[in-house]
Amino acid sequence: MAEDSVAIMTSGGDAAGMNPAAMIAAQHAKSRGLKPYFIYEGLTGLIEDEIYEATKDRTTGMLHKGGTLLRSSRCKLFFEESYRKQAYENLQKRGINKLVVIGGDGSFRALNQFYNDFHVPFAGIPATIDNDISGTDYCLGVDTCLNIIRNSIDSIRDTAMSINRAFVIETMGRDCGYLAMTSALTSGAEICLVPEIPYDLDAIGSRMLREIADGRKTLIAVVSEGVNMSDYMTRWINDSLGIEARLTTLGYIQRGGSPTVYDRMMAFKFAVAAIDSLVAGNKRQIMTFKEGHVGSKAIEEIADQKPVMPSLLLDLCRPLCQ
Ligand code: F6P
């Protein structure tokens, strides 16, 4: 009987932890009797036949690297059936009959469509700095990203305190405020604006003016990109609170960097679980981390669901929004 083969890819926005996850998935696949392949450039590479056996040469030195050495793409062509057929033929000619996709919700949905077309089982590993995948408390890349944000805000706090300025710091996260909320709390920000919590500028203003009367000379406001308020907030602090304000948009620096120990450990857990899930015969499972345990959920339970933010995080952040 032909050997079972699995192809591993990273897809969508890159995140730290993708490299260790891809490397460990390839190694664990081998130990479970599967021949591992890497697909380069995500869904684009699947269509364009950028598929190579995951030899030692390709897996060595991946663990500590940020981004994704397999490269990634946001591929619109995969929505078209003719390109998905081309992708299937690329797998078929190598006898690849299983897939691991390391990415976000959109990538999982694309692979689910591929399953509906051609019945190629897949396992999903959640990886996005946004931490916005429903059904899992953690996505690869989040811890590394939060540490980059912490470093940046600590540095900005130094200059803010030195020269009596306020800073608005915009974090990524798309429509999800997880990065902003966690960063605001762990960097001691005075204000936080996120899509999940209604904010009250009058209340924020009164609170800050009281503190300014009491001697406050500087402040940090962490604003999630999802609320689209960074420019306005900077002008508002300047004009309404009377502290000279500057805006720092952290931008893509948040996506890079060598994965933290936590992200490397989570990559091990998710990658082993993904391969084991495929070997056990599961067809469309997404790996999850819930209440400290790695598990998995069917794609239907995850796709298109709104992520639920931890209630403790929301409670702790509420005072910074009013
Ligand atoms: O999903 C990750 C993310 O970095 C978001 O936080 C951000 O809104 C988006 O990707 C940026 O997308 P792109 O890489 O396509 O510019």
Side-chain angles (χ1 to χ4, degrees):
M1 214 171 80
E3 187 183 18
D4 272 356
S5 299
V6 61
I8 299 149
M9 75 170 108
T10 55
S11 176
D14 51 276
M18 283 182 157
N19 285 324
M23 186 200 86
I24 294 148
Q27 290 174 346
H28 190 60
K30 229 173 181 171
S31 76
R32 297 293 321 258
L34 302 177
K35 185 171 177 182
Y37 286 84
F38 282 153
I39 301 169
Y40 286 80
E41 227 152 293
L43 296 172
T44 303
L46 183 53
I47 293 169
E48 292 180 358
D49 208 15
E50 288 289 323
I51 304 171
Y52 303 92
E53 197 183 329
T55 54
K56 256 280 158 267
D57 184 40
R58 288 183 185 276
T59 53
T60 303
M62 287 183 90
L63 188 83
H64 65 294
K65 295 282 193 193
T68 166
L69 292 170
L70 298 189
R71 302 191 302 278
S72 188
S73 55
R74 299 197 193 275
C75 176
K76 301 239 172 357
L77 289 184
F78 207 74
F79 291 114
E80 292 178 38
E81 201 185 338
S82 60
Y83 288 103
R84 292 200 298 275
K85 186 158 183 292
Q86 198 173 311
Y88 177 62
E89 285 163 2
N90 293 335
L91 296 180
Q92 236 191 350
K93 69 184 178 205
R94 295 178 177 86
I96 296 170
N97 53 3
K98 294 172 179 37
L99 290 169
V100 170
V101 58
I102 305 166
D105 192 40
S107 307
F108 300 155
R109 271 184 275 125
L111 268 279
N112 196 35
Q113 179 60 56
F114 195 60
Y115 179 84
N116 291 335
D117 296 333
F118 304 108
H119 308 291
V120 180
F122 70 94
I125 295 181
T128 163
I129 62 164
D130 301 342
N131 214 24
D132 64 348
I133 300 179
S134 155
T136 183
D137 295 339
Y138 192 74
C139 302
L140 288 182
V142 172
D143 188 60
T144 306
C145 177
L146 286 172
N147 278 294
I148 289 171
I149 299 174
R150 173 185 57 80
N151 268 334
S152 308
I153 301 184
D154 286 354
S155 296
I156 289 172
R157 178 77 81 176
D158 289 342
T159 173
M161 288 184 66
S162 303
I163 197 159
N164 292 344
R165 276 183 185 155
F167 277 85
V168 171
I169 298 168
E170 183 181 287
T171 56
M172 277 189 167
R174 221 180 273 274
D175 299 323
C176 177
Y178 184 87
L179 289 177
M181 286 190 276
T182 309
S183 301
L185 288 174
T186 54
S187 64
E190 284 72 27
I191 300 170
C192 179
L193 302 187
V194 288
E196 291 83 357
I197 308 177
Y199 53 83
D200 179 345
L201 273 192
D202 290 339
I204 292 174
S206 308
R207 172 164 64 90
M208 284 296 115
L209 286 172
R210 275 197 307 276
E211 294 193 11
I212 289 165
D214 196 30
R216 170 176 293 288
K217 292 183 170 42
T218 174
L219 70 88
I220 300 278
V222 177
V223 175
S224 163
E225 66 176 353
V227 290
N228 201 17
M229 279 285 286
S230 304
D231 283 320
Y232 181 86
M233 228 16 219
T234 311
R235 283 195 305 277
W236 181 83
I237 291 172
N238 209 72
D239 301 345
S240 305
L241 302 183
I243 303 183
E244 191 180 343
R246 296 277 192 275
L247 168 63
T248 296
T249 302
L250 294 180
Y252 291 90
I253 194 171
Q254 295 163 96
R255 286 240 293 254
S258 173
T260 56
V261 168
Y262 188 76
D263 267 323
R264 296 179 198 197
M265 284 307 296
M266 288 306 298
F268 264 93
K269 292 175 187 173
F270 279 142
V272 166
I275 295 297
D276 287 348
S277 171
L278 288 170
V279 171
N282 293 313
K283 312 274 187 233
R284 295 182 290 169
Q285 292 292 110
I286 308 302
M287 302 309 110
T288 58
F289 187 67
K290 269 280 170 211
E291 284 151 20
H293 297 284
V294 173
S296 69
K297 281 189 160 56
I299 177 81
E300 292 81 8
E301 292 180 65
I302 284 183
D304 298 321
Q305 309 284 328
K306 229 179 137 40
V308 180
M309 290 296 106
S311 56
L312 178 63
L313 186 61
L314 294 169
D315 289 346
L316 291 171
C317 264
R318 232 165 248 122
L320 305 182
C321 309
Q322 57 202 22

